[in-house]
Amino acid sequence: MSERKIIDVHAHIVPEVDDGARSIKESCRLLSLAAGQGIREVIATPHSFRGKRVEELKAVTEQIQKEMRYLYPDFTLHLGQENFYREELPARLREGKALTMTDSRYVLVEFDPGVTYDALYRGIHTLSSIGYLPVLAHVERYRCMRREERMEELTDKGCFLQMNYKGLQGRWYNKNVRWCRRQVTEGRIHLLGTDMHRTDFRPPVITEALGWLESHVDGEQLDAMTRENPLKLICYKNKDEVHQEK
């Protein structure tokens, strides 16, 4: 397998916040599984806070980071959020009640799988019109996005399209797998994520997807989806120095 240092932009590893990790111990198990497959940087993206303050989320994230550094000295964990789109989301972002990705202008946003394209487009347009940079989570889940001109229209609006690695895994005759792979080979996908939750529910398993990617896309495109585009979502204290180190 490749020695790439992959950045995962979609992970539910902050414990006791959503349907993801249930403890810091499980968080570290999940991240160790991910690290064993080449992931060295992760943006944690909890769904909601369940009464937790942002300061608490940051403190837990830092604690997990320290634990992981004992096992993988080059491992880095960041905090973001996966936001379900509602009309009040822009206000919640401005008030700090919803989080962007690592304090950047990028917002990971999801919709109901049965959303109409008009409603999805309006949500993306609203976020971009007030200065945010939308990242559409797990694009393969939305029935309305199965028309490729819509994928391109959202990209033209400045929206990043994120796909889960799981969508690329499976038999070639599975129509959903074929659709996901075609979007990648035709250059419509900007980011890949594990969407890891628990050790017994959506664990991070990317080996099969990486094998397919390394056989079907060139190194430049693979780097863009797994590292270069993810780096755009991350606000480092001194971004230039970090980029040079990495």
Side-chain angles (χ1 to χ4, degrees):
M1 185 189 297
S2 169
E3 294 299 320
R4 299 176 189 279
K5 292 185 177 181
I6 296 166
I7 301 175
D8 183 7
V9 300
H10 192 157
H12 296 271
I13 53 81
V14 179
E16 300 180 335
V17 176
D18 55 14
D19 57 344
R22 292 159 285 197
S23 65
I24 289 179
K25 185 176 181 180
E26 185 170 33
S27 301
C28 292
R29 281 202 202 116
L30 287 165
L31 293 173
S32 294
L33 285 170
Q37 298 169 80
I39 295 172
R40 284 296 184 275
E41 203 158 347
V42 171
I43 304 177
T45 54
H47 281 295
S48 62
F49 296 165
R50 282 192 188 169
K52 292 183 183 291
R53 294 179 299 173
V54 173
E55 292 76 14
E56 292 178 273
L57 294 175
K58 289 181 177 178
V60 173
T61 302
E62 288 172 6
Q63 186 178 351
I64 298 169
Q65 166 78 91
K66 289 177 182 177
E67 296 285 340
M68 286 302 298
R69 282 280 170 91
Y70 287 118
L71 298 171
Y72 298 92
D74 62 342
F75 193 91
T76 305
L77 184 61
H78 308 275
L79 181 61
Q81 188 179 7
E82 182 180 17
N83 297 284
F84 190 87
Y85 189 84
R86 295 183 177 88
E87 289 184 4
E88 63 268 24
L89 178 59
R92 288 178 59 80
L93 287 165
R94 285 193 295 263
E95 294 165 6
K97 295 178 180 177
L99 299 180
T100 63
M101 300 293 268
T102 78
D103 294 324
S104 69
R105 290 194 298 136
Y106 288 92
V107 178
L108 183 65
V109 59
E110 68 168 336
F111 296 80
D112 185 276
V115 67
T116 66
Y117 180 67
D118 285 347
L120 188 151
Y121 181 86
R122 282 197 303 273
I124 295 298
H125 174 75
T126 297
L127 290 171
S128 61
S129 67
I130 58 175
Y132 292 107
L133 299 168
V135 178
L136 182 59
H138 39 61
V139 66
E140 70 275 12
R141 291 190 188 172
Y142 310 110
R143 292 190 291 274
C144 69
M145 293 302 296
R146 291 299 170 113
R147 289 172 54 179
E148 289 159 358
E149 65 270 20
R150 292 176 173 176
M151 306 271 285
E152 292 160 5
E153 184 175 36
L154 288 189
T155 297
D156 290 343
K157 289 291 296 180
C159 180
F160 268 177
L161 304 179
Q162 181 258 310
M163 178 175 284
N164 287 354
Y165 284 97
K166 186 177 179 181
L168 300 171
Q169 299 180 161
R171 300 293 185 180
W172 65 269
Y173 49 76
N174 181 303
K175 66 178 181 180
N176 291 318
V177 172
R178 287 204 310 273
W179 184 86
C180 289
R181 291 177 175 179
R182 187 171 70 251
Q183 304 319 303
V184 167
T185 57
E186 295 181 2
R188 298 188 184 93
I189 301 303
H190 308 102
L191 299 157
L192 295 168
T194 63
D195 198 5
M196 67 176 95
H197 276 63
R198 299 179 176 183
T199 52
D200 57 355
F201 173 62
R202 292 191 202 163
V205 179
I206 67 172
T207 304
E208 180 185 339
L210 279 180
W212 180 86
L213 286 162
E214 290 176 343
S215 298
H216 291 82
V217 301
D218 63 35
E220 184 176 350
Q221 183 185 355
L222 184 51
D223 284 341
M225 292 186 291
T226 62
R227 187 161 185 77
E228 293 306 318
N229 287 334
L231 281 171
K232 296 174 183 177
L233 277 56
I234 299 172
C235 277
Y236 296 98
K237 289 182 179 178
N238 192 333
K239 204 163 187 176
D240 290 337
E241 288 184 8
V242 172
H243 281 205
Q244 289 170 11
E245 291 174 2
K246 292 176 178 288

